[in-house]
Amino acid sequence: MIIRFSNTKEGQSKAIFSTLFITGNKLQTLFDREIALKQFMLLSILRQSKEQLKFIQLGNLLGCSRENIKN
């Protein structure tokens, strides 16, 4: 896809964005079979954290609200 749209800077940007979006969807589909991708990311952050994080800090790291972390 990137090669197909590589003749302009704007085309390259669109191709990169599309590729990232498609890859994100594929990852989410893959993870949703066992555990949600957001749950996996949350567990990864918790495991790698050297200190105890509050819900609001976790939400900021994941790009969501603290209410979504609690659910």
Side-chain angles (χ1 to χ4, degrees):
M1 181 181 302
I2 293 173
I3 295 171
R4 183 174 171 198
F5 294 104
S6 65
N7 42 342
T8 67
K9 191 77 163 172
E10 183 179 345
Q12 290 173 346
S13 296
K14 288 179 181 180
I16 291 169
F17 177 78
S18 298
T19 302
L20 289 172
F21 187 76
I22 291 167
T23 303
N25 282 340
K26 286 182 179 182
L27 281 172
Q28 186 167 357
T29 301
L30 178 69
F31 274 93
D32 283 348
R33 293 180 188 158
E34 299 287 329
I35 182 173
L37 184 57
K38 285 187 180 182
Q39 291 171 328
F40 173 78
M41 293 300 298
L42 178 61
L43 291 172
S44 296
I45 290 171
L46 288 170
R47 184 174 182 168
Q48 297 299 320
S49 178
K50 293 181 180 14
E51 59 189 51
Q52 187 174 2
L53 299 173
K54 296 180 180 181
F55 288 146
I56 195 158
Q57 293 169 310
L58 291 167
N60 289 338
L61 287 170
L62 284 174
C64 62
S65 68
R66 65 182 176 85
E67 286 81 14
N68 286 343
I69 298 295
K70 291 193 298 186
N71 294 330

